[in-house]
Amino acid sequence: MSGDTLIVINPNSSQTVTDGIKLALDPLRRFGTPIRCLTLKEGPHGIENQRQADLTIGPMLRLAARQKDAAGYVIACFGDPGLHALRDQTALPALGIQEAGVMTALTLGQRFGVIAILPQSIPRHLRAFGSMGVLDRFAGDRALGLSVTDLADQNKSLDALIAAGKRLRDEDSADVLIMGCAGMAQYRTTLEHETGLPVVEPCQAAATMALGQIALNLSHKGTYDAG
Amino acid sequence: MSGDTLIVINPNSSQTVTDGIKLALDPLRRFGTPIRCLTLKEGPHGIENQRQADLTIGPMLRLAARQKDAAGYVIACFGDPGLHALRDQTALPALGIQEAGVMTALTLGQRFGVIAILPQSIPRHLRAFGSMGVLDRFAGDRALGLSVTDLADQNKSLDALIAAGKRLRDEDSADVLIMGCAGMAQYRTTLEHETGLPVVEPCQAAATMALGQIALNLSHKGTYDAG
Amino acid sequence: MSGDTLIVINPNSSQTVTDGIKLALDPLRRFGTPIRCLTLKEGPHGIENQRQADLTIGPMLRLAARQKDAAGYVIACFGDPGLHALRDQTALPALGIQEAGVMTALTLGQRFGVIAILPQSIPRHLRAFGSMGVLDRFAGDRALGLSVTDLADQNKSLDALIAAGKRLRDEDSADVLIMGCAGMAQYRTTLEHETGLPVVEPCQAAATMALGQIALNLSHKGTYDAG
Amino acid sequence: MSGDTLIVINPNSSQTVTDGIKLALDPLRRFGTPIRCLTLKEGPHGIENQRQADLTIGPMLRLAARQKDAAGYVIACFGDPGLHALRDQTALPALGIQEAGVMTALTLGQRFGVIAILPQSIPRHLRAFGSMGVLDRFAGDRALGLSVTDLADQNKSLDALIAAGKRLRDEDSADVLIMGCAGMAQYRTTLEHETGLPVVEPCQAAATMALGQIALNLSHKGTYDAG
Amino acid sequence: MSGDTLIVINPNSSQTVTDGIKLALDPLRRFGTPIRCLTLKEGPHGIENQRQADLTIGPMLRLAARQKDAAGYVIACFGDPGLHALRDQTALPALGIQEAGVMTALTLGQRFGVIAILPQSIPRHLRAFGSMGVLDRFAGDRALGLSVTDLADQNKSLDALIAAGKRLRDEDSADVLIMGCAGMAQYRTTLEHETGLPVVEPCQAAATMALGQIALNLSHKGTYDAG
Amino acid sequence: MSGDTLIVINPNSSQTVTDGIKLALDPLRRFGTPIRCLTLKEGPHGIENQRQADLTIGPMLRLAARQKDAAGYVIACFGDPGLHALRDQTALPALGIQEAGVMTALTLGQRFGVIAILPQSIPRHLRAFGSMGVLDRFAGDRALGLSVTDLADQNKSLDALIAAGKRLRDEDSADVLIMGCAGMAQYRTTLEHETGLPVVEPCQAAATMALGQIALNLSHKGTYDAG
């Protein structure tokens, strides 16, 4: 038996990021399904490598299991840690922002470019894109190249996003961009204006698909008792 | 300046198919955006080959242009005739049921199987899947093998859908199915029960993504004046 | 029953382009099959996007059907608008210059580069190359970046072709080039000399393959009554 | 300085195969270029593995170099032994029947099936198709399963060809067939009638492309002095 | 500073499996590097889905970190749980049996077939093969279809392995097999005899590559102080 | 019946290269299997194109067959000339340095870059990577751009290696490098230090895999009498 709320889990411990995710999802609240965004207290402040990502899976699965009113889930870390484990644990719709971000981008352009926070995340992204089977549509993946201090500076962050987006457009021939992180929705419109390209904020993409699957009783398990 | 309504165009002239599409989209009406389903009178009774598909594009584009209250479009023929032409014509969100059906299936299973109405459609589907760059995820495409008369018989249609679904599951290793046609949403749940696999009804998939893009002001043109 | 003439249709309305195609095919007249080059009066002056391309299909199919002496067809627009629709309409050999240009290039080098007239054509090309399944051999696609006025200037056109060819060779590692347009055969030899690479003029490639299929009674329909 | 004759080399020592190749090319003689078919006396009676194929390269290259009137070459063994070595040796057009057979098939259907003489050739074929980058279009490869004695029996050969072709069509979803051998052109029309699919005889495909490249002064070396 | 011993971690809690791994590695002891096989006590009795696999990562990483004499690691579960996390944690060579099994198989045949214990593991395997970028070489993945009780019966296990191997050879065209599990090395030779195909026992494959990387000071981190 | 020695064949006639290979394999002598490195006297001084590579196959196969104490073989030329022919000739393990180098690199990074001696080798490499099915993992291939004289100069060689490695890392996003030649092992550590990336010396990779296959009685023929 399922509940009525879309649960969005930020697997890092940064409330600022969770607040950014909430903001990103505001335009989807009119779809009528409550959305609750949670911060994983046991997570690292930011997920910087596969080891940190993998270690969030245990607590994330427990946090998810505790949400008795859940109608579906979004894992809100670009890297989708524990996505398939969560799908083993529940029949409710479970979306990852990386997977959904890519699938949405593929309806908006022919070659997608990704803006990563950190350069060391890029091989991890590529493993995921290979697993998704979408590398023929991949243009490039560029890191912001900012220190943690700089990331806290909104102007520096926006400038770096725009610079990375323009390199993806001009050097890698991307015609659609994906923000390779959660919590930066506030920059999306400016980034679209500056690059002239559609920009996918992946939490928005995942929540859209999750809300649709909830409304349609669509599950990776085939059929389930949606209560 | 855009309107407030999602326009769903059935490019064949069968009102029965359009009625099936309407039924399919009922669960999404709660998202708050009006949805209007149109039949293309100039279309053939059913689209059976690439030639028929291509010849719907001109009248479909004109029909789309006449919808002054449009906030976005869905082309509801598995084959997505004129999808990229429509994207040239408008900055409003424009989704095709084939593309969106595949992208949705890729979040529900690892290898998708397609149930085609007619065997001669399969090479056309493959060209589209190649263009989408998703062939590494493709399990198989099986036709119902029914005559037009048999298709009108609901029992025969359902039996053929189940038989094709089971062959895709057992012989082609599909773990998610896509209905390769519009207007058959009424069989979805039974097909899921009989095969144990998730089944994507592609009009539902496309409408979900379109409603999300409308809510998020997301466009293949990057930015647009959504009025 | 088929005729004895290869029909080459330029789906834009520019007689200059048709004249360039005629010139390109002169070396193949010694093969003994008459070749007739037609201009599609209903076409746009130049095909600049998918919408324009798709809208040529209806009149192109009618023009093709009227050629009672046809032994085969070439659609002479890089983009192959209506190619599969024409193959639905006739059992006679039907080649597109994009498809045949690529297949020919794959016998001349390992990575093909494409010179596009307009940058907005490139995503359309990529969809086609994906549909052909040849992206593992794709090096890059570069646009000339000329205005319509500049295109009329032969020196500027040639300079731009050479510059694009050298970028494809040096930055994208192409070792064979395809001219992504019809009607520029007169520049082929100079482009080969300046880049040191083989250059495929796609109308020549398609006509060669069509003349072979005519001589060999080879058809996409398997067997046909060649009269 | 080049000559005026297309040289077709059968790298096995069977004159019967060479005679079959000659017959296959008869319809192309009207293109006006003399065609001379040669048997490689140093070759094995039939090429059954990669070792035998590789050992033909030395004598094949010497035989090719001795043809002073050559305008271009075809290597007529499905496996294209020495094709790239020959391209190193000469700037004249040099085609292989495997490569050209595949490229031609890709203009006639969406998924190609190959009929191999021997099962042990199939991994070799797959390495070649991978090298060509066309595996997304590959349907299957089926061996005749005949002994050498049976191959000499025309009825048994034809029956086995038809059986393999039907399995490729029905079990592997091929919609175009390639004869994976030289010298069997006499069965092509019957195989097309029995399967309803287009059948590519690869010597015909390679000679067509070679005659076109000769007529057009098109070379893998870019430009060459065609004398 | 690194130690001198190859650490092989079985991430499930079955000592029988660990004993089977030890046996598999006996022929490699002559290479001169000590090999120590460990059982992860915190692991499940057998890893049956992604959730169980992911939950072994935390304790596996801690177990690995405690091995002060480690010169390198092998994770001995087909699925490679935590492989990239371990590579984040250490500069010592770290191999997974799935990855190394596939890479070894690619030197022994053109299309690899995998024998899975459980059918539900197959989508997980496919995600991994996609991530490795080797799907063009993938023939198929077949499960044994045995209950836990049957798996304890050596005769039933061997019969099921042979049956799966023959289906992979005959229906999926595999020419090399990979045992999709650890601890079954004792069946390898019989399976080779019965199928006529090379069979990769993946613990052997991973230990070989790890011992080589240890001997050669080769690390995913580039250079490291091997002490 | 097999012998006890790994035979490594340098198919060019340069004893300096063979000496470099010997040096590369020193760390693997502790594995307990004798390794004998042979120079192919009939080979060219350096293999510069496909023609030269193919012409080494005959004498290489004869040299291999004469080694009565062989337990396995490595062909030590990046290009693996005659690898599959050798596998036809013997059931003993037979590895090529290109194939094994790539398979090893795929366990050390996500995108491999190749340093070629000569630019004209690159299309040959690409054909091989396509045949291996690993192009989704390919980052780039860069030539040293040195004359033969410069290659004899160790400082110039090392500088060129480092420059090529850094371009592969910075422009092509490679995170693991493969030396696309034999006999340069002495530069490996410096190249790793300068680029920060793992560097695969392919003779080491192939010998490791061959020694493993010898120890494990693992053969491309499935089973063989290892004496």
Side-chain angles (χ1 to χ4, degrees):
Chain A
M1 196 165 112
S2 68
D4 69 347
T5 300
L6 176 62
I7 305 297
V8 178
I9 301 178
N10 168 21
N12 71 39
S13 61
S14 162
Q15 186 61 37
T16 309
V17 168
T18 310
D19 290 344
I21 295 169
K22 268 186 212 167
L23 190 70
L25 303 186
D26 268 349
L28 298 173
R29 292 186 187 275
R30 74 180 214 210
F31 282 12
T33 292
I35 301 173
R36 186 161 70 248
C37 298
L38 303 175
T39 303
L40 187 71
K41 294 196 175 52
E42 298 90 336
H45 188 68
I47 292 179
E48 299 187 355
N49 60 27
Q50 188 73 51
R51 184 175 177 277
Q52 290 184 321
D54 287 351
L55 293 177
T56 66
I57 297 175
M60 180 278 290
L61 291 174
R62 289 191 295 274
L63 180 63
R66 285 198 302 269
Q67 310 307 312
K68 295 308 179 194
D69 59 345
Y73 299 94
V74 165
I75 301 176
C77 166
F78 204 78
D80 295 346
L83 175 60
H84 291 283
L86 181 58
R87 288 175 179 162
D88 284 330
Q89 177 170 289
T90 180
L92 298 178
L95 276 292
I97 68 170
Q98 187 177 45
E99 185 179 83
V102 169
M103 295 311 150
T104 300
L106 297 187
T107 71
L108 293 163
Q110 188 61 20
R111 287 190 283 192
F112 68 95
V114 178
I115 304 178
I117 304 295
L118 298 167
Q120 63 263 37
S121 304
I122 295 175
R124 186 158 43 106
H125 294 173
L126 283 165
R127 292 196 298 270
F129 302 149
S131 171
M132 291 180 207
V134 297
L135 283 169
D136 275 353
R137 304 284 293 276
F138 173 71
D141 199 324
R142 300 269 183 184
L144 292 182
L146 292 184
S147 69
V148 176
T149 316
D150 288 346
L151 272 172
D153 180 328
Q154 294 215 357
N155 288 336
K156 286 190 179 164
S157 291
L158 184 54
D159 286 351
L161 280 167
I162 292 168
K166 288 185 175 173
R167 290 191 68 194
L168 287 162
R169 181 193 64 190
D170 298 336
E171 297 180 31
D172 302 324
S173 303
D175 50 19
V176 58
L177 301 176
I178 302 174
M179 302 176 97
C181 54
M184 289 196 168
Q186 76 267 33
Y187 304 122
R188 206 196 96 200
T189 304
T190 309
L191 187 56
E192 288 188 333
H193 274 288
E194 291 292 326
T195 61
L197 299 184
V199 175
V200 176
E201 199 288 325
C203 300
Q204 296 178 330
T208 296
M209 295 185 95
L211 292 169
Q213 295 184 18
I214 290 169
L216 297 162
N217 275 334
L218 190 50
S219 162
H220 54 283
K221 300 269 192 191
T223 52
Y224 68 106
D225 177 7
Chain B
M1 195 167 113
S2 66
D4 69 348
T5 300
L6 174 62
I7 305 297
V8 179
I9 300 178
N10 168 21
N12 71 40
S13 60
S14 161
Q15 185 61 36
T16 308
V17 168
T18 309
D19 291 343
I21 295 169
K22 269 186 207 166
L23 189 70
L25 303 185
D26 268 349
L28 298 172
R29 292 188 186 275
R30 74 182 214 208
F31 282 13
T33 294
I35 301 173
R36 187 161 69 250
C37 298
L38 303 176
T39 303
L40 187 70
K41 291 196 176 51
E42 299 89 337
H45 187 69
I47 292 179
E48 299 187 356
N49 60 27
Q50 188 72 54
R51 184 173 178 280
Q52 289 184 321
D54 287 352
L55 293 177
T56 66
I57 299 176
M60 181 277 291
L61 291 173
R62 290 191 295 273
L63 180 64
R66 285 198 301 268
Q67 311 306 313
K68 296 307 179 194
D69 58 347
Y73 299 94
V74 166
I75 301 177
C77 166
F78 204 78
D80 294 347
L83 176 60
H84 292 283
L86 180 58
R87 288 175 179 162
D88 284 330
Q89 178 169 289
T90 179
L92 298 177
L95 277 291
I97 68 168
Q98 186 176 44
E99 186 180 82
V102 170
M103 296 310 151
T104 298
L106 296 187
T107 71
L108 293 164
Q110 189 61 20
R111 289 190 281 192
F112 67 96
V114 178
I115 304 178
I117 304 295
L118 298 168
Q120 63 264 35
S121 303
I122 295 176
R124 189 157 43 103
H125 295 174
L126 284 165
R127 292 196 299 270
F129 302 148
S131 171
M132 292 180 205
V134 296
L135 284 170
D136 275 353
R137 304 283 296 275
F138 172 71
D141 200 325
R142 299 270 182 184
L144 292 183
L146 292 184
S147 68
V148 176
T149 316
D150 288 346
L151 273 172
D153 179 329
Q154 293 216 359
N155 288 336
K156 286 191 181 165
S157 291
L158 183 55
D159 287 350
L161 281 167
I162 292 169
K166 288 185 175 173
R167 290 191 67 192
L168 287 162
R169 181 192 66 190
D170 298 335
E171 298 180 31
D172 301 324
S173 303
D175 50 19
V176 58
L177 301 177
I178 302 173
M179 301 175 98
C181 53
M184 288 196 172
Q186 76 266 34
Y187 305 120
R188 208 198 94 203
T189 304
T190 307
L191 187 56
E192 288 187 334
H193 274 288
E194 291 291 326
T195 61
L197 300 183
V199 175
V200 175
E201 199 287 325
C203 299
Q204 296 179 331
T208 296
M209 296 186 92
L211 293 168
Q213 295 184 18
I214 290 168
L216 297 162
N217 273 337
L218 190 51
S219 161
H220 54 282
K221 300 270 192 190
T223 51
Y224 67 107
D225 177 7
Chain C
M1 194 168 112
S2 69
D4 69 347
T5 300
L6 176 61
I7 304 297
V8 179
I9 300 178
N10 168 21
N12 71 39
S13 62
S14 160
Q15 185 62 36
T16 308
V17 169
T18 309
D19 291 343
I21 295 169
K22 268 186 209 166
L23 189 71
L25 303 186
D26 268 350
L28 298 172
R29 294 188 185 277
R30 73 182 214 206
F31 283 12
T33 293
I35 301 173
R36 187 162 69 249
C37 297
L38 302 175
T39 303
L40 187 70
K41 292 196 175 52
E42 298 90 337
H45 188 68
I47 292 178
E48 299 187 356
N49 59 27
Q50 188 73 52
R51 185 175 177 280
Q52 289 183 321
D54 287 351
L55 293 177
T56 66
I57 298 176
M60 181 277 291
L61 291 173
R62 289 192 295 273
L63 180 64
R66 285 199 301 269
Q67 311 305 313
K68 296 307 181 195
D69 58 344
Y73 298 94
V74 165
I75 301 176
C77 166
F78 204 78
D80 296 346
L83 176 59
H84 292 284
L86 181 58
R87 287 176 180 162
D88 284 330
Q89 176 169 289
T90 180
L92 298 178
L95 277 291
I97 69 170
Q98 187 177 43
E99 184 180 82
V102 170
M103 297 309 150
T104 299
L106 296 187
T107 71
L108 293 164
Q110 188 62 20
R111 287 191 281 192
F112 68 95
V114 178
I115 305 176
I117 304 296
L118 298 168
Q120 64 262 38
S121 304
I122 295 176
R124 188 158 41 106
H125 294 174
L126 283 165
R127 291 196 300 268
F129 302 150
S131 171
M132 291 180 207
V134 297
L135 284 170
D136 274 353
R137 306 283 295 276
F138 173 72
D141 199 325
R142 300 270 183 184
L144 292 183
L146 292 184
S147 68
V148 175
T149 316
D150 288 345
L151 273 172
D153 179 328
Q154 294 218 354
N155 287 337
K156 287 191 180 167
S157 291
L158 183 55
D159 287 350
L161 280 167
I162 292 169
K166 287 184 175 175
R167 291 191 67 194
L168 287 163
R169 180 192 66 190
D170 297 337
E171 297 180 30
D172 302 324
S173 304
D175 50 19
V176 57
L177 301 176
I178 303 175
M179 302 174 95
C181 55
M184 287 196 171
Q186 76 267 30
Y187 304 121
R188 207 196 95 201
T189 304
T190 308
L191 187 56
E192 289 187 333
H193 274 287
E194 290 292 326
T195 61
L197 299 183
V199 176
V200 175
E201 199 288 324
C203 300
Q204 295 179 332
T208 296
M209 295 186 93
L211 293 169
Q213 294 185 18
I214 290 167
L216 297 162
N217 274 334
L218 191 50
S219 162
H220 54 284
K221 299 270 193 190
T223 51
Y224 67 106
D225 176 9
Chain D
M1 194 168 112
S2 68
D4 69 347
T5 300
L6 175 61
I7 305 297
V8 179
I9 299 180
N10 168 22
N12 72 39
S13 61
S14 162
Q15 186 61 36
T16 307
V17 169
T18 311
D19 291 344
I21 296 168
K22 268 186 209 167
L23 191 69
L25 304 185
D26 268 350
L28 298 172
R29 292 187 188 275
R30 75 181 213 207
F31 282 12
T33 293
I35 301 173
R36 187 161 69 248
C37 298
L38 301 175
T39 302
L40 187 71
K41 293 197 174 51
E42 298 91 336
H45 188 68
I47 291 179
E48 298 186 356
N49 59 28
Q50 188 74 52
R51 184 174 178 279
Q52 289 184 321
D54 286 352
L55 293 177
T56 66
I57 299 175
M60 180 277 290
L61 291 174
R62 290 191 295 273
L63 181 64
R66 284 199 302 269
Q67 310 307 312
K68 296 309 179 193
D69 58 345
Y73 298 93
V74 166
I75 300 177
C77 166
F78 204 79
D80 296 346
L83 175 61
H84 292 283
L86 181 59
R87 287 175 179 163
D88 284 330
Q89 178 169 289
T90 181
L92 298 178
L95 277 291
I97 67 170
Q98 186 177 45
E99 185 179 83
V102 170
M103 297 309 151
T104 299
L106 296 187
T107 70
L108 294 163
Q110 188 61 20
R111 288 190 283 192
F112 68 96
V114 177
I115 304 177
I117 304 296
L118 298 168
Q120 64 262 35
S121 303
I122 295 174
R124 187 158 43 103
H125 294 173
L126 283 166
R127 292 196 299 270
F129 302 149
S131 170
M132 291 180 207
V134 295
L135 283 170
D136 274 353
R137 304 284 295 275
F138 173 71
D141 200 323
R142 300 267 181 184
L144 292 183
L146 292 184
S147 68
V148 175
T149 316
D150 287 346
L151 273 171
D153 180 328
Q154 294 217 356
N155 287 335
K156 287 189 179 165
S157 291
L158 183 54
D159 287 350
L161 282 167
I162 292 168
K166 288 183 175 174
R167 289 191 68 192
L168 287 162
R169 181 193 65 190
D170 297 337
E171 297 180 31
D172 301 325
S173 304
D175 51 18
V176 58
L177 301 176
I178 304 174
M179 302 175 95
C181 55
M184 288 195 170
Q186 76 267 31
Y187 304 121
R188 207 196 97 202
T189 303
T190 308
L191 188 55
E192 289 187 332
H193 274 288
E194 291 290 326
T195 60
L197 300 182
V199 175
V200 175
E201 200 288 324
C203 300
Q204 296 179 331
T208 296
M209 296 185 94
L211 293 169
Q213 294 184 18
I214 291 168
L216 296 162
N217 274 335
L218 190 51
S219 162
H220 54 283
K221 300 270 191 190
T223 51
Y224 68 106
D225 177 8
Chain E
M1 194 168 113
S2 68
D4 69 347
T5 300
L6 175 61
I7 305 297
V8 179
I9 299 178
N10 168 20
N12 71 40
S13 61
S14 161
Q15 186 61 37
T16 307
V17 168
T18 311
D19 292 344
I21 296 169
K22 269 186 208 165
L23 190 71
L25 304 185
D26 269 350
L28 298 172
R29 293 188 186 275
R30 75 183 215 208
F31 281 13
T33 292
I35 301 173
R36 188 162 66 250
C37 298
L38 302 175
T39 303
L40 187 71
K41 292 196 175 51
E42 298 91 337
H45 188 68
I47 292 178
E48 298 186 356
N49 60 27
Q50 188 74 51
R51 185 174 177 278
Q52 289 184 320
D54 287 353
L55 293 177
T56 67
I57 298 175
M60 181 278 291
L61 290 173
R62 291 191 294 274
L63 181 64
R66 286 199 302 269
Q67 312 306 313
K68 296 308 181 194
D69 58 346
Y73 299 94
V74 166
I75 299 177
C77 166
F78 204 79
D80 296 346
L83 176 60
H84 291 284
L86 181 58
R87 287 175 179 162
D88 284 330
Q89 178 170 287
T90 180
L92 298 178
L95 278 289
I97 67 170
Q98 186 176 45
E99 184 179 84
V102 169
M103 296 309 152
T104 299
L106 296 188
T107 71
L108 293 163
Q110 189 61 21
R111 288 190 282 191
F112 67 96
V114 178
I115 304 177
I117 305 296
L118 298 168
Q120 62 263 37
S121 305
I122 295 176
R124 188 159 41 105
H125 294 174
L126 283 165
R127 292 196 297 270
F129 303 148
S131 171
M132 292 180 206
V134 297
L135 283 171
D136 274 353
R137 302 285 294 275
F138 173 71
D141 201 323
R142 299 268 183 185
L144 291 183
L146 292 184
S147 68
V148 176
T149 316
D150 288 346
L151 274 172
D153 180 328
Q154 294 216 355
N155 288 336
K156 286 190 180 165
S157 290
L158 183 54
D159 286 350
L161 281 166
I162 293 168
K166 287 184 175 173
R167 289 190 69 192
L168 287 162
R169 180 193 65 190
D170 298 337
E171 297 180 29
D172 301 325
S173 303
D175 51 18
V176 58
L177 301 176
I178 303 175
M179 301 175 95
C181 55
M184 287 196 172
Q186 75 268 30
Y187 305 121
R188 206 197 96 202
T189 304
T190 308
L191 188 55
E192 289 187 332
H193 275 287
E194 291 291 326
T195 61
L197 299 183
V199 175
V200 175
E201 199 288 323
C203 300
Q204 296 180 331
T208 296
M209 295 186 93
L211 293 169
Q213 295 184 17
I214 291 169
L216 297 162
N217 274 335
L218 190 52
S219 161
H220 54 283
K221 299 270 192 189
T223 52
Y224 68 106
D225 177 7
Chain F
M1 197 166 110
S2 70
D4 70 347
T5 300
L6 176 61
I7 304 297
V8 179
I9 300 178
N10 167 21
N12 71 38
S13 61
S14 160
Q15 186 60 37
T16 307
V17 169
T18 310
D19 291 343
I21 295 169
K22 269 185 208 166
L23 190 69
L25 303 186
D26 269 349
L28 297 172
R29 293 188 186 274
R30 74 182 214 208
F31 281 12
T33 293
I35 301 173
R36 186 162 69 249
C37 298
L38 303 176
T39 303
L40 186 71
K41 293 196 174 55
E42 298 91 336
H45 188 68
I47 291 179
E48 299 186 357
N49 60 27
Q50 188 72 54
R51 185 174 177 278
Q52 289 183 321
D54 287 351
L55 293 177
T56 67
I57 298 175
M60 181 277 290
L61 290 173
R62 289 191 296 272
L63 180 64
R66 285 198 304 267
Q67 310 306 313
K68 296 306 179 194
D69 59 345
Y73 298 94
V74 166
I75 301 177
C77 166
F78 205 78
D80 296 345
L83 176 60
H84 291 283
L86 181 58
R87 287 176 180 162
D88 284 330
Q89 178 169 289
T90 179
L92 298 177
L95 276 292
I97 69 170
Q98 187 176 45
E99 185 180 81
V102 169
M103 296 308 150
T104 299
L106 296 187
T107 72
L108 294 163
Q110 188 61 20
R111 287 191 283 192
F112 67 96
V114 178
I115 306 177
I117 304 296
L118 298 167
Q120 63 263 36
S121 304
I122 294 175
R124 189 158 41 105
H125 294 173
L126 283 166
R127 291 196 299 269
F129 302 150
S131 170
M132 291 180 207
V134 297
L135 283 170
D136 274 353
R137 304 284 293 276
F138 172 72
D141 200 324
R142 298 270 184 185
L144 293 182
L146 292 183
S147 68
V148 176
T149 316
D150 287 347
L151 273 172
D153 179 328
Q154 293 217 356
N155 287 337
K156 286 190 180 166
S157 290
L158 184 55
D159 287 350
L161 280 166
I162 292 168
K166 287 184 175 173
R167 291 191 67 194
L168 287 162
R169 181 193 63 190
D170 298 337
E171 297 180 31
D172 302 323
S173 304
D175 50 19
V176 57
L177 300 177
I178 303 173
M179 302 175 95
C181 55
M184 288 196 170
Q186 76 267 30
Y187 304 121
R188 206 198 97 201
T189 304
T190 308
L191 187 56
E192 288 187 335
H193 275 287
E194 292 291 326
T195 60
L197 300 183
V199 175
V200 176
E201 198 288 324
C203 300
Q204 296 179 331
T208 296
M209 295 187 94
L211 292 169
Q213 294 185 17
I214 290 169
L216 297 162
N217 275 335
L218 191 49
S219 161
H220 54 283
K221 299 271 191 188
T223 51
Y224 68 106
D225 177 8

